């Protein structure tokens, strides 16, 4: 059987390369996703994930992360968690639970402490400086407070045919305390079924969640569409509808991988992503809006 992995944005590349190495050596899709996302979370210069992620309007880094197994449908997620090193590991651990598998804020932090996950102040001096500068600009120029956001989302397929998906983000820069987006909401920011395939989203969570787009992509792949056809069919008609009904739309980018290792990407902005398979070495690609 083949193996493959796809991840959102250029920031996914190093982690994805590590994940692919694991898959090549017979590692599981879950281990590949977790280790790939941990690498992104640990890198202090990515401003929208993990350590170095930009804070909310109060200056606190609040992180969202989720993990889903395509074999068991186990979903684990944390939202608005602070001061933990690797939210993806907590999300994965929660995905084994039948009850209490999605935890927010203080409760998520308590779970992390109780279960021995490493605590860490996730606000870097650099992120603090960016926050201070932006706060002053917003006040001076009366700007919209919301500025900048990206999520790392990874979908992987291992040599046994098992699939997993994970996401991790600090969400919207200058978000309100307690705000969450699509990234930790199953079906919105991620979904996977090992019999079909998986998908992950990045962009403005408030809009992505309106379309339940990752579930929709997997559902469409289940009807026989290729990942590319499913991404296009889930995204573009929905964008037209949303624009007409809501009046404005944010950024949307979607990646998908099916159980045969074929992949697809749809976006309404210029979008970088990383991808690799048994046959193709990991690389970064750019996708553009198709309409
Ligand atoms: C969110 N979807 O919190 C995330 C952020 C993101 O590209 O992915 N931005 O809304």
């Amino acid at each position: 059987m083949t193996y493959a992995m796809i991840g959102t944005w250029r920031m996914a590349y190093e982690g994805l390369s590590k994940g692919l190495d694991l898959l090549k050596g017979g590692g599981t899709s879950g281990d590949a996703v977790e280790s790939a996302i941990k690498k992104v979370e640990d890198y202090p210069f990515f401003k929208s994930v993990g350590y170095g992620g930009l804070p909310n309007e109060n200056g606190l880094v609040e992180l969202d992360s989720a993990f889903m197994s395509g074999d068991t449908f186990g979903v684990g997620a944390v939202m608005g968690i602070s001061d933990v090193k690797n939210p993806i590991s907590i999300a994965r651990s929660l995905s084994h639970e039948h009850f209490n598998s999605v935890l927010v804020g203080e409760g998520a932090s308590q779970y992390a402490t109780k279960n021995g996950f490493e605590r860490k102040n996730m606000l870097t001096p650099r992120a603090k400086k960016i926050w201070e500068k932006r706060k002053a600009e917003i006040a001076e120029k009366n700007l919209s407070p919301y500025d900048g956001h990206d999520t790392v989302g990874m979908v992987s397929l291992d040599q046994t045919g098992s699939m997993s998906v994970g996401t991790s983000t600090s969400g919207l820069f200058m978000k309100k305390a307690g705000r969450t987006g699509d990234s930790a909401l199953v079906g919105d920011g991620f979904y996977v079924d090992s019999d079909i395939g998986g998908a992950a989203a990045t962009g403005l969570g408030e809009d992505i969640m309106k379309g339940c787009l990752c579930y929709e992509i997997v559902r469409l792949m289940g009807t026989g569409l290729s990942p590319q056809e499913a991404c296009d069919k889930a995204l573009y008609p929905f964008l037209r509808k949303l624009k007409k009904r809501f009046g404005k739309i944010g950024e949307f980018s979607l990646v998908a991988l099916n159980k045969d290792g074929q992949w697809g990407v749809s976006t309404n902005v210029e979008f970088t992503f990383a991808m690799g398979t048994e046959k193709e070495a990991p690389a970064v690609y750019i996708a553009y809006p198709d309409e």
Side-chain angles (χ1 to χ4, degrees):
M1 276 228 204
T2 189
Y3 59 87
M5 200 159 176
I6 190 164
T8 57
W9 302 113
R10 159 65 186 84
M11 65 177 155
Y13 174 74
E14 286 80 7
L16 181 133
S17 303
K18 188 177 168 196
L20 276 170
D21 281 346
L22 282 180
L23 295 173
K24 189 177 178 182
T28 67
S29 63
D31 285 348
V33 161
E34 183 183 353
S35 72
I37 291 183
K38 274 171 85 169
K39 207 163 167 66
V40 185
E41 288 176 340
D42 289 342
Y43 188 68
F45 286 94
F46 296 139
K47 292 184 292 185
S48 57
V49 174
Y51 186 55
L54 292 174
N56 68 14
E57 63 178 9
N58 300 332
L60 183 68
V61 182
E62 287 188 324
L63 302 167
D64 297 339
S65 178
F67 178 91
M68 181 171 185
S69 157
D71 291 352
T72 64
F73 293 124
V75 170
V78 289
M79 300 181 208
I81 192 170
S82 294
D83 299 334
V84 294
K85 184 171 178 284
N86 292 114
I88 186 64
S89 299
I90 305 167
R92 188 181 182 194
S93 158
L94 286 166
S95 73
H96 304 299
E97 301 291 335
H98 194 194
F99 303 109
N100 305 305
S101 56
V102 178
L103 298 177
V104 304
E106 187 46 37
S109 293
Q110 278 173 23
Y111 173 89
T113 306
K114 227 183 200 162
N115 291 280
F117 290 96
E118 193 176 334
R119 307 302 303 254
K120 181 171 178 170
N121 174 10
M122 299 299 270
L123 183 65
T124 59
R126 176 175 181 251
K128 190 164 180 237
K129 259 196 196 133
I130 295 171
W131 177 79
E132 280 164 353
K133 187 164 170 255
R134 185 67 186 162
K135 210 171 152 71
E137 274 171 12
I138 289 166
E140 262 167 42
K141 300 181 193 158
N142 200 21
L143 296 175
S144 157
Y146 308 115
D147 182 41
H149 51 82
D150 283 336
T151 296
V152 66
M154 303 260 193
V155 192
S156 79
L157 165 72
D158 70 29
Q159 294 187 46
T160 70
S162 158
M163 296 192 75
S164 300
V165 63
T167 60
S168 187
T169 187
S170 54
L172 208 51
F173 180 28
M174 289 292 182
K175 65 189 178 184
K176 294 232 171 290
R179 176 266 183 197
T180 196
D182 59 305
S183 304
L185 301 181
V186 60
D188 295 332
F190 64 96
Y191 198 79
V192 65
D193 176 342
S194 298
D195 289 343
I196 301 170
T202 175
L204 185 65
E206 283 80 351
D207 280 354
I208 294 168
M209 66 173 78
K210 291 175 180 125
C212 299
L213 291 176
C214 287
Y215 179 77
E216 180 62 1
I217 290 169
V218 175
R219 190 192 69 78
L220 288 166
M221 289 194 292
T223 69
L225 298 192
S226 70
Q228 188 58 53
E229 289 166 341
C231 285
D232 289 344
K233 200 163 175 182
L235 182 64
Y236 295 118
F238 178 69
L239 285 181
R240 288 195 290 270
K241 223 183 219 190
L242 185 60
K243 198 164 192 178
K244 204 162 155 196
R245 296 196 190 174
F246 199 71
K248 44 193 170 204
I249 50 171
E251 296 179 2
F252 289 71
S253 301
L254 304 164
V255 297
L257 184 69
N258 72 9
K259 65 176 174 41
D260 302 317
Q262 298 166 320
W263 55 275
V265 170
S266 287
T267 181
N268 69 345
V269 291
E270 186 176 301
F271 170 59
T272 55
F273 62 100
M275 205 275 307
T277 67
E278 184 185 14
K279 295 189 187 102
E280 293 159 88
V284 175
Y285 299 85
I286 304 185
Y288 297 95
D290 229 18
E291 62 171 62

